[in-house]
Amino acid sequence: MKRVGFLYDDVFLLHEMPAGHPESKDRLIAINESLRRSALWDKLVHLKPRKAAKRDILTVHKESYYEKLLGYTGYYDADTYVSKHSVEAASYASGAVIEAIQRCKTGELDRAFCSVRPPGHHAEADRAMGFCIFNNVAIGARYAQGLGYKRVFIADFDVHHGNGTQHTFEDDDTVFYFSTHQYPHYPGTGHSSEKGKSGGTGFTCNIPMGYGSGDEEYREAFGEVLPGLVEEFCPDIMLVSAGYDLHVKDPLAGIGVTDEGVRTIVRSILLAGKTIPNIFCLEGGYNLVSLGESVKITMEELLYCE
Ligand SMILES: [Zn+2]
């Protein structure tokens, strides 16, 4: 059995949304309840996240954006809401990834799951977007490099393309960004021709999925394409943008991945990054039942996939 950290704090529930918003605190409550009902809960190493320092956040975001957020309340864009405690929650969400990376570095953990909100992969250097305030995984990647992990592989299976993550690293050959996502769909980026820029060309791989794609298309992407890319890139650490809105029951998209499909994706990622730390960070997932079940499946694989 692997040593698997589960990073969570009630501070994430303080990020309040207007009534009816799909990105609600009920998502994390559903995950906790699903894991508590299973035998997995007691096998996990339960850890509190730290709060990301401003200097960590500024490795990805512009200071002008950070300053603008302080004291900001209301809609930042059409669907991204900032409440009184949102920046605090977002700082801890990024801090969870940082904490998990640090614990892997010291050898305390092999793998981790950061059960956080707000999510991060749409957040750009200079703006909040798509329910995301700080780009948790991107901040984690820069922190990991500061700790000595030179080459970072980011796998993103959220049903939406992680525009913010791609843009952060598109000219960087030390961070590989691999994404599957429904296409065309929000946010509009993620065409297969987007492969990185200048020195980072060839270090971004987008696999767009047509409406109605399901387990077989994802098995090909994660079981057949991903392993070769990871082998060639030879990363020191793997960060995963784990978005469960690719599930067939999810209300925000049109992809048909089943519970078993989720298991195959997670297992394929873990097998591709067998010898290195794997840190999963929650992104989307808006059907509370399938979200709880998908994270439970993820934790089973994190614990037992050798
Ligand atoms: Zn999403």
Side-chain angles (χ1 to χ4, degrees):
M1 191 172 85
K2 296 286 183 182
R3 292 163 302 166
V4 180
F6 183 78
L7 290 97
Y8 169 80
D9 194 288
D10 286 343
V11 70
F12 301 131
L13 309 182
L14 299 177
H15 172 49
E16 286 167 10
M17 293 287 110
H21 197 289
E23 203 290 282
S24 77
K25 63 182 178 183
D26 295 340
R27 300 174 60 235
L28 299 194
I29 294 168
I31 291 171
N32 282 344
E33 283 177 359
S34 169
L35 294 178
R36 273 212 180 91
R37 276 196 305 269
S38 78
L40 301 170
W41 184 260
D42 294 333
K43 298 192 164 57
L44 301 169
V45 181
H46 292 275
L47 296 167
K48 293 282 182 207
R50 71 175 79 173
K51 184 176 177 179
K54 180 180 173 184
R55 67 175 176 278
D56 294 318
I57 293 165
L58 296 190
T59 59
V60 170
H61 296 286
K62 292 198 168 143
E63 189 158 17
S64 54
Y65 168 56
Y66 184 85
E67 299 293 338
K68 184 180 174 182
L69 279 174
L70 302 175
Y72 191 102
T73 50
Y75 271 103
Y76 195 97
D77 73 2
D79 50 24
T80 313
Y81 192 79
V82 180
S83 70
K84 192 177 169 202
H85 300 292
S86 295
V87 175
E88 177 89 349
S91 301
Y92 277 94
S94 299
V97 185
I98 285 173
E99 185 71 28
I101 292 166
Q102 211 242 324
R103 300 255 185 177
C104 287
K105 185 69 181 174
T106 59
E108 283 170 74
L109 299 176
D110 303 307
R111 298 168 175 167
F113 187 91
C114 301
S115 191
V116 303
R117 61 186 286 276
H121 72 157
H122 295 305
E124 295 277 3
D126 61 352
R127 65 186 189 280
M129 186 177 155
F131 313 166
C132 303
I133 295 178
F134 295 141
N135 196 317
N136 308 320
V137 163
I139 290 167
R142 287 299 183 222
Y143 180 82
Q145 292 189 311
L147 274 191
Y149 291 112
K150 291 196 173 71
R151 300 170 73 75
V152 182
F153 196 101
I154 300 174
D156 184 338
F157 61 77
D158 188 279
V159 82
H160 305 99
H161 181 245
N163 55 288
T165 312
Q166 174 171 305
H167 292 149
T168 302
F169 302 114
E170 63 190 350
D171 59 359
D172 188 335
D173 64 359
T174 65
V175 179
F176 197 108
Y177 180 62
F178 174 89
S179 177
T180 54
H181 42 272
Q182 186 175 327
Y183 189 92
H185 195 46
Y186 182 87
T189 49
H191 191 273
S192 57
S193 63
E194 296 167 26
K195 295 177 183 211
K197 287 184 177 165
S198 57
T201 304
F203 295 87
T204 294
C205 175
N206 285 300
I207 304 188
M209 298 284 183
Y211 179 90
S213 298
D215 291 355
E216 181 52 24
E217 288 84 355
Y218 277 80
R219 190 198 59 73
E220 279 173 28
F222 286 90
E224 292 175 22
V225 181
L226 178 80
L229 296 173
V230 172
E231 198 183 335
E232 198 177 331
F233 183 67
C234 208
D236 305 305
I237 190 166
M238 173 97 75
L239 304 181
V240 182
S241 272
Y244 298 96
D245 42 11
L246 81 177
H247 196 278
V248 64
K249 290 183 186 152
D250 197 273
L252 292 200
I255 293 292
V257 170
T258 66
D259 289 352
E260 277 315 297
V262 169
R263 188 181 298 282
T264 302
I265 292 167
V266 172
R267 189 174 290 175
S268 301
I269 292 170
L270 294 175
L271 291 175
K274 216 174 186 172
T275 57
I276 55 175
N278 284 263
I279 293 163
F280 282 56
C281 182
L282 183 67
E283 299 283 359
Y286 305 99
N287 175 303
L288 300 181
V289 176
S290 61
L291 175 62
E293 186 62 24
S294 294
V295 174
K296 194 178 96 184
I297 290 165
T298 302
M299 301 320 295
E300 281 168 2
E301 291 301 316
L302 289 177
L303 282 164
Y304 299 114
C305 177
E306 297 285 345

